[in-house]
Amino acid sequence: MPSFFTSNKWLLSSSILIALMIIGVQCSQVAVSTSQAKLCPVTDSALPTDIAPYVTETTISKWFKSDTIRPNGVVKPANSVTFPANTDTDFHQWSEQMFLWLTSPHGKGYVFNSALFHAVLSDGSLQRIHSGLLLHAKLRHAKKGSSTSEGQAGHDASGVLMSQNGSLVYYITMVNDVFVTYKKAVEDNAKGVDKKHFPTSATDLAALVAYAKAQKIQLPDSIALAMELKTSWVEASTVCNPENFITMDAQVAVYDQSKPDYWTAIPNQAKTVKLALVGMHVVGSVRNHPEMVWATFEHRGNAPNAAYSYLNIKKDTIKVLADSSKGNWTFGSPKALYGSNNAMFMKMDTAKMPNIMAASAGLKISASNAQRTKPWGGDPSTDAYAGKTFKSNESNANVISINNSVLNALKAGDIRKNYLFIGSLWTHGGLAPVTNNDKNNYNLLGSTLLANATMETYKMS
């Protein structure tokens, strides 16, 4: 029997969207040494400011529980049931509010690692998160065919990423209580629960809440509807400014690193480390969109931007040059900023997971140089793809604009000021996403070339 994650086309949507939108990147065969002194990331790539503001500080303040913007203040989840879905900005606002909610303080941690969420384990099973639970961070899942698989997306899903300071990149996937309850309701053939897609309406939610009540299950943030998160992490000890990162303790594998081209995981050994958040995919069902909206966020110091363009407040097209070679990034080195970006130097030994091996002969296990080749998910050169006209410069401007609005509104000392919204993606009318060349079916909207430097580093062929 197929698993819950693979038996329903709508339940595959988050992974489909993620897989479809992997950016094209240039690869080289130049490995990067990680023996240098610890690199401190630059503050960020500067955001253009000559763009029309689309979201006011008054609107952002209403996201907060107290209707007042406070440093590290608690944010309410976006109401996915009444989601307007009228403009790109609606989807971007939903994305930003959800990220701020997920990274709001909750107990001794954050919302995303609280009892409101379950961790997805390697075998596809779910583990409710609770205070004191040490999650296991993985390089990638061993389970194939799951919509919640971890690790790199690309032409070789076994790819492994390392930071410039020598930390492996770890992944943890979580799903919220609505997702889990819907899964149980489908398995129980619950009355009134639509078995074809996650809840997207007040009627869908009412049926699920009725089932939850009968099962004595509480859904305190049910208006968030079903959510899936994929998070990426590095060891906090390898960053020189851990106070600028969201952190948590977790367990990771211990490796015998005596061979430069093959690391062996030591059986039955794990170490507890403090991890620093470098990326997060936020995926959720909203009104009229069972395919689920996909948004992604990154730490501001992750990687340099390639050249891009946008529309300024006068509707002029402005071209931005690639970030200069001055400064350092967590996943990019100025010594190889140009010509050797996003090359895969190591991957999992799929026959002996979680062992790590060099990606090909002559390479060593080492750090790749990452670059955001489509920084905000739009590229005008692809706007006429499949006969459909996109407006990438306008889309890029929308993403940059809401970044400016949110980052300027957050108070000094709010750790969330250190994270950038890279973009969000959805489909026309909530249809299942397709990638063929039929112009009537190519229905992706928003940041249509969306990718996260820590999770889609390598090109999908």
Side-chain angles (χ1 to χ4, degrees), residues 85-287:
N86 294 322
T87 67
D88 287 15
T89 305
D90 292 330
F91 289 89
H92 297 335
Q93 286 191 64
W94 176 91
S95 304
E96 284 275 22
Q97 185 175 350
M98 283 303 196
F99 177 77
L100 295 177
W101 169 59
L102 292 164
T103 53
S104 291
H106 190 285
K108 295 182 179 180
Y110 300 91
V111 168
F112 71 84
N113 63 351
S114 72
L116 296 172
F117 281 80
H118 286 63
V120 182
L121 306 183
S122 295
D123 61 0
S125 62
L126 303 174
Q127 180 181 27
R128 184 162 199 146
I129 299 172
H130 58 79
S131 179
L133 175 67
L134 279 176
L135 297 177
H136 291 264
K138 307 284 187 179
L139 300 181
R140 76 185 283 263
H141 258 318
K143 182 179 177 63
K144 296 181 179 180
S146 168
S147 71
T148 54
S149 61
E150 298 179 8
Q152 280 285 336
H155 64 285
D156 189 335
S158 64
V160 176
L161 181 64
M162 178 184 286
S163 75
Q164 290 296 309
N165 286 329
S167 173
L168 295 171
V169 178
Y170 302 97
Y171 303 93
I172 304 174
T173 297
M174 301 93 158
V175 292
N176 73 340
D177 50 7
V178 175
F179 184 114
V180 175
T181 303
Y182 175 78
K183 173 182 181 294
K184 293 178 180 178
V186 170
E187 292 171 347
D188 290 347
N189 197 29
K191 181 180 178 180
V193 173
D194 192 323
K195 313 304 187 299
K196 295 181 179 180
H197 62 74
F198 286 120
T200 60
S201 68
T203 301
D204 289 343
L205 183 57
L208 189 64
V209 169
Y211 167 80
K213 184 177 180 180
Q215 300 294 316
K216 298 182 179 180
I217 298 172
Q218 294 183 346
L219 299 175
D221 292 305
S222 60
I223 61 170
L225 296 183
M227 299 199 73
E228 176 185 349
L229 312 178
K230 180 177 176 181
T231 57
S232 54
W233 308 80
V234 295
E235 293 188 37
S237 62
T238 66
V239 297
C240 61
N241 50 353
E243 68 278 3
N244 291 337
F245 290 78
I246 290 170
T247 61
M248 74 171 185
D249 293 336
Q251 288 191 322
V252 299
V254 177
Y255 289 90
D256 176 353
Q257 303 179 20
S258 58
K259 296 181 180 179
D261 59 351
Y262 195 91
W263 289 3
T264 303
I266 302 175
N268 304 316
Q269 285 200 30
K271 61 179 180 179
T272 299
V273 296
K274 186 173 292 296
L275 296 178
L277 181 71
V278 290
M280 179 184 287
H281 286 334
V282 178
V283 181
S285 65
V286 301
R287 188 174 70 90

Side-chain angles (χ1 to χ4, degrees), residues 40-51:
C40 295
V42 295
T43 302
D44 62 84
S45 301
L47 295 174
T49 58
D50 58 340
I51 300 175

